[in-house]
Amino acid sequence: MNEVCFKNLTKDQCWSLKTYEASGGYSVWRKILKGELTPEHIIDELKASGLRGRGGAGFPTGLKWSFMPRHSDGQKYVVCNSDEGEPGTCKDRDILRFNPHAVIEGMAIGGFVMNASVGYNYIRGEFMEPFKRFEGALKEAYEAGLLGQNINNSAINFDLYTHLGAGAYICGEETALLESIEGKKGQPRFKPPFPANVGLFGKPTTINNTESFASVPEIISRGGQWFADIGVENSGGCKLFSVSGHVKSPANFEVPMGIAFKDLLEMAGGIRDGAKLKAVIPGGSSTPVLTADVAMAMTMDYDGIERAGSMLGAGSVIIMDESTCMVEVLTRLAHFYYDESCGQCTPCREGTGWLYRVLKRITDGNGREGDIELLLGVQDKIMGNTICALGDAAAMPVESFLRCFREEFEYYIEHGKSMVKG
Amino acid sequence: MISIDAKKQIDAWILKYPKDRQSSAVMQALKIVQAENKNRLSADTIQAVADYLDMPGIAVQEVATFYENYNHKKVGKHVIRFCHNISCMLNGADDLILHLENKLGVKTGEVTPDGLISAKKVECLGACVGAPMFQINDEYFENLTADKIDQIVDNLK
């Protein structure tokens, strides 16, 4: 536990350059500056490590980095996505607060591998404490001569800047994030072209999640195989899981991929007040909900959660006990997507409003016969019909809540009140 | 319309982006200008930002209305942003929001008569393991209880 992004968590001033370097930090970057590591070697190690994008999509990081046209002329960029805001997710905030130098080193390594001399870290606008920590770390890194132009006479350039958001969940979508850095509304772009060809300011760009970047230095330092062996097949390494909801000790845990869900639940102190587990959202609000028995038999890795019928997402585990009214939870989630839809695609803009309004009338006691079919019909019309994944993210919970807890919705519609709360 | 100090702060952001890409600084420029204009934006301040960054007014207006952190109506000197998303909801946020409204004597979305405080329900602030939580200005307050809220609010001046 706590071997990579959280490895210095318990140390004094764990965010400082001094603490980071004392535990081997910047050793990979210094080797690069001395010409001892090649981009090819780093990509091979990343591929061997099995590291997959920690923001939710799970795309292999080494493969993603290999897509960049590193030998092409002109400016290229690396961008870190710290626009964390999917309900249930709060791990990147802690990485930025407690291990900012790992993000800086990971981004610098990425810049070297992809021949990108400039990086931006997009931090959500509300994260002022993490922003200040990260800016403090950047200042330390510049003063120590680890960033800038012709660093240590290596002919390597890497400048890193922070961009602050201003409150929009959609900017966590990578092309919306690029639009946002360009000073526009955060509305996703059509793909293709992919950012590796046409990205920030029209230049080749690779975007990775905060946890992905922060994992890179340790992986290169200790070897891809070392990281892969921590996890299980197809899910290399360890992963931060944010366990929140009805548990005794909610927290972020960095644990090996493949850990049993029930062990993770136990680490969070189990269900509080001696209550029974009812439902689990395993990967953040966009991932399908699971019933207790399915969750208790599940392992926490990409394939294990998929077999259980959901997705690992960003590792955001929301625990609900038997007192939870699933109709009210889904209504709240529907409100979130309705609020956060950027409005660009009609199925999402209109569909999220429909989902929310129908659910709201059910929880107001005014549900109508046929509302369940209406909800299922609307979510089906959103699924797969939008530019970005926010539409799918809004639709997936609806289908799964109605499949797993249909009787609660039927009861609410028939009786005008919650089956659980009365 | 934009103070010298604010211009200095905006200029520091412009330096982070490539030449002729000063529009990338618009999000921060709006925040900086908002902060020195009683925490809200007006048509005039939005136009002033547009002029300063050499952007069309409508482009700045789009940004100002797309992102949630910009205020277009009157808000308090201190803005309490209460998360009511799922992890906070499961931990009693709804009851605590009612408690806060009673304590302030105004509803979320309104400003206290002395202009000191306004509160707002917001979506996930990314601190779910510290639920229930809210943000006041730049600071997060986590693991809230009714007593804790009373203390925090009483200390706002």
Side-chain angles (χ1 to χ4, degrees), chain A residues 93 120 163 181 272 332, chain B residues 16-17 24 67 84 91 142:
Chain A
R93 174 178 178 237
Y120 289 98
H163 183 95
I181 298 182
R272 65 177 186 220
R332 190 58 56 92
Chain B
K16 296 178 172 210
Y17 308 102
S24 285
Y67 296 94
H84 73 145
N91 284 288
E142 300 175 53

Side-chain angles (χ1 to χ4, degrees), chain B:
Chain B
M1 185 58 78
I2 305 177
S3 72
I4 292 170
D5 180 54
K7 284 180 178 168
K8 268 191 200 158
Q9 291 180 54
I10 296 169
D11 291 347
W13 280 93
I14 290 173
L15 288 176
K16 296 178 172 210
Y17 308 102
K19 201 171 166 288
D20 301 327
R21 291 285 186 174
Q22 75 272 15
S23 55
S24 285
V26 67
M27 289 164 69
Q28 279 313 301
L30 286 170
K31 270 198 194 172
I32 291 161
V33 170
Q34 174 170 277
E36 65 172 26
N37 285 281
K38 294 187 174 171
N39 250 332
R40 63 187 283 206
L41 295 172
S42 64
D44 291 344
T45 48
I46 288 170
Q47 188 57 49
V49 168
D51 292 343
Y52 191 68
L53 295 176
D54 197 18
M55 290 173 73
I58 186 65
V60 181
Q61 176 76 16
E62 277 191 346
V63 170
T65 52
F66 183 85
Y67 296 94
E68 188 272 340
N69 291 176
Y70 304 119
N71 305 313
H72 300 275
K73 289 184 188 152
K74 191 180 172 196
V75 293
K77 181 180 167 196
H78 304 288
V79 181
I80 302 179
R81 295 155 49 81
F82 214 129
C83 175
H84 73 145
N85 214 292
I86 180 163
S87 301
C88 286
M89 173 197 182
L90 294 172
N91 284 288
D94 292 348
D95 286 343
L96 290 177
I97 289 169
L98 284 179
H99 175 84
L100 178 67
E101 288 178 335
N102 286 333
K103 167 94 184 156
L104 298 177
V106 293
K107 296 272 180 206
T108 46
E110 299 170 350
V111 188
T112 53
D114 58 2
L116 189 65
I117 302 169
S118 63
K120 182 180 184 182
K121 283 186 257 192
V122 297
E123 298 299 347
C124 187
L125 289 172
C128 315
V129 300
M133 60 80 60
F134 60 44
Q135 175 185 15
I136 304 180
N137 310 323
D138 285 350
E139 203 178 340
Y140 275 22
F141 297 86
E142 300 175 53
N143 303 304
L144 294 172
T145 59
D147 286 347
K148 215 167 156 179
I149 290 173
D150 289 348
Q151 262 180 29
I152 293 164
V153 171
D154 288 340
N155 283 325
L156 292 176
K157 290 192 175 75

